[in-house]
Amino acid sequence: MGGFVLAIDQGTTSSRAIVFDSRMKVVGSGQKEFTQIYPKSGWVEHDPEEIWETVLWAANEAIKTSGVEPEEINAIGITNQRETVVVWDRETGKPISNAIVWQDRRTAAYCGKLKKQGLEGVFTRKTGLLLDPYFSGTKLSWLLSKVKGARHRATKGELCFGTIDTFLIWRLTGGKMFATDATNASRTLMFNIATNDWDDELLEILHVPRAMLPEVKDCAADFGSTEPGLFGAPIPILGVAGDQQAATIGQACFKPGMMKSTYGTGCFALLNTGADMVRSKNRLLTTIAYRLDGKTTYALEGSIFIAGAAVQWLRDGLKVIRFASDTGDLAASADASQQVYLVPAFTGLGAPHWDPDARGAMFGMTRNTGPAEFARAALEAVCYQTRDLLDAMHKDWKSNGNETVLRVDGGMVANDWTMQRLADLLDAPVDRPIILETTALGAAWLAGSKAGVWPDLNDFALSWARDERFEPQMDEKTRASKLRGWRKAVRRTLSAS
């Protein structure tokens, strides 16, 4: 066996697969987009069958382009869009509805009702999360109440719940394995991150039967083997982690105080807090970073719902750009005398505000405002939101001080203008790694290390290499002025204002 590992990266807008060799180099890949379904304002759905088909296509394409025989692949690692809910028939494997996506806001009123009952503290104490439509639990509860007979069938054990990883594991193993990993479980509002088990009190509040929940395993564990006919040979699935935790692993943020931020559709920053389950006083999330050999490592997380999606809005909604890659040069040409702010609360605001009813707004426009200023505002919005997260993390994680180096990944980090502006507004260095496929790499490392063909944790951390460091260049007066303007814009956008 040659140390080859297949990583399946099932994301919000596309399914990707990458074959890595024994030196952790990409030797084959495949990617396929799938349909975004918007039944109502604020609702977002995916067709689980289409996700399954695109995963199969991407994985087979990756194997084909790698030139590697299926028998040479030692293991599969899976990483996935978190919090997205799928429910399927245990007997047939068929979903009973579309998947409800993490971006979906249909349960905002339900979350508000639970808060009014004084229950948010119970959820936060046990799960580290806040009561927000973002998380899986209220989505699942909604689905069970709206699909005829679903809750009764679930109680009888006839239905299975899973996030995307669980659904894929079930399908890949022909229904032989019904499992998830600790990172995905920790995002459901139903998993007690202290006891590492589903919590009966929370299940009762949400009216979710335990009978429909998967087994929870370590991130590097035996998740069964694929059906031989899918890829030409059975391949063991040995690693699973939610996309942001997989990126944390891929960035080798294994020491307490290390921080990464991923810039994709949304932006998600994680700060490793080690064995300490730090309780945020600044509305960040306490979550599981990874669980290896039964040992749980925790993190503080800040979630931004709109990052790259703001660039997509410029391209597809406003049609002021043709390609996402145009934004850097366009932003650089913007009128420096105009300070235009975009607060991209298209689906509410995430951390540290957690306002599902906030909506997007543009501030500071003049008659001379045009595409260049719009592009700069969209890119700067990502940087401002990251600064909000960093400030909150510094308040919660005292021992880390204010000396932070941010490791970044995701599609937006190829944009030099954005990364320089990020360093300027954070007033902290930003490190871009040589390997940008950190999410897939993290899932692959979990599987490859479990298979015994890739380095252990310490040697993997030593292999991390920096492509470029962006140092702050903006003067303090300019930075302070821009941050004041941003905070004023956010205050005007919050629903309670």
Side-chain angles (χ1 to χ4, degrees), residues 359-404:
R359 287 297 175 262
M362 188 83 76
F363 297 94
M365 289 184 291
T366 70
R367 187 66 177 80
N368 294 325
T369 301
E373 289 71 37
F374 274 53
R376 185 184 63 190
L379 297 180
E380 284 189 332
V382 176
C383 305
Y384 288 128
Q385 291 178 100
T386 307
R387 173 62 187 253
D388 288 346
L389 297 183
L390 186 63
D391 287 347
M393 285 178 173
H394 280 159
K395 292 174 184 175
D396 283 331
W397 182 246
K398 304 293 186 184
S399 61
N400 193 43
N402 288 324
E403 296 300 321
T404 300

Side-chain angles (χ1 to χ4, degrees), residues 159-329:
L159 299 181
C160 297
F161 154 76
T163 42
I164 295 296
D165 59 304
T166 305
F167 178 65
L168 293 180
I169 292 166
W170 177 279
R171 284 288 180 92
L172 288 167
T173 62
K176 295 182 181 69
M177 181 63 69
F178 182 37
T180 188
D181 83 294
T183 68
N184 278 295
S186 75
R187 311 295 296 186
T188 62
L189 277 175
M190 300 180 289
F191 189 74
N192 190 315
I193 62 173
T195 64
N196 270 274
D197 192 12
W198 301 114
D199 190 281
D200 289 326
E201 181 184 9
L202 302 181
L203 296 179
E204 183 176 354
I205 293 170
L206 295 170
H207 307 294
V208 171
R210 185 184 264 265
M212 71 183 308
L213 303 181
E215 177 187 0
V216 181
K217 294 174 173 277
D218 285 354
C219 299
D222 180 4
F223 290 90
S225 293
T226 63
E227 291 285 276
L230 296 177
F231 306 125
I235 306 173
I237 304 167
L238 298 180
V240 177
D243 53 7
Q244 303 313 316
Q245 284 91 342
T248 303
I249 293 166
Q251 288 278 34
C253 291
F254 295 130
K255 294 180 179 179
M258 296 185 74
M259 181 179 176
K260 76 90 200 176
S261 191
T262 298
Y263 297 93
T265 303
C267 164
F268 302 87
L270 267 76
L271 174 74
N272 186 323
T273 62
D276 294 333
M277 192 164 52
V278 176
R279 301 292 187 179
S280 176
K281 296 179 181 178
N282 296 278
R283 295 184 67 76
L284 297 175
L285 306 176
T286 305
T287 197
I288 293 178
Y290 47 84
R291 196 176 84 191
L292 301 173
D293 298 323
K295 181 182 178 182
T296 302
T297 296
Y298 295 96
L300 284 171
E301 177 175 334
S303 307
I304 298 169
F305 299 147
I306 301 294
V311 176
Q312 292 173 330
W313 173 66
L314 293 180
R315 183 192 66 192
D316 304 333
L318 297 186
K319 302 188 187 304
V320 297
I321 57 171
R322 289 186 62 196
F323 304 103
S325 56
D326 295 341
T327 52
D329 289 341

Side-chain angles (χ1 to χ4, degrees), residues 57-80:
W57 185 91
N60 278 296
E61 181 70 7
I63 295 170
K64 177 183 174 183
T65 57
S66 73
V68 174
E69 294 298 322
E71 295 84 359
E72 296 180 273
I73 298 175
N74 295 80
I76 290 175
I78 297 175
T79 184
N80 56 287

Side-chain angles (χ1 to χ4, degrees), residues 1 29 79 81 84 103 179-180 231 250 268 285 357 411 418 476 483:
M1 302 290 277
S29 64
T79 184
Q81 53 166 316
T84 296
Q103 298 164 312
T180 188
F231 306 125
F268 302 87
L285 306 176
D357 296 318
T418 306
E476 181 55 35
L483 289 171

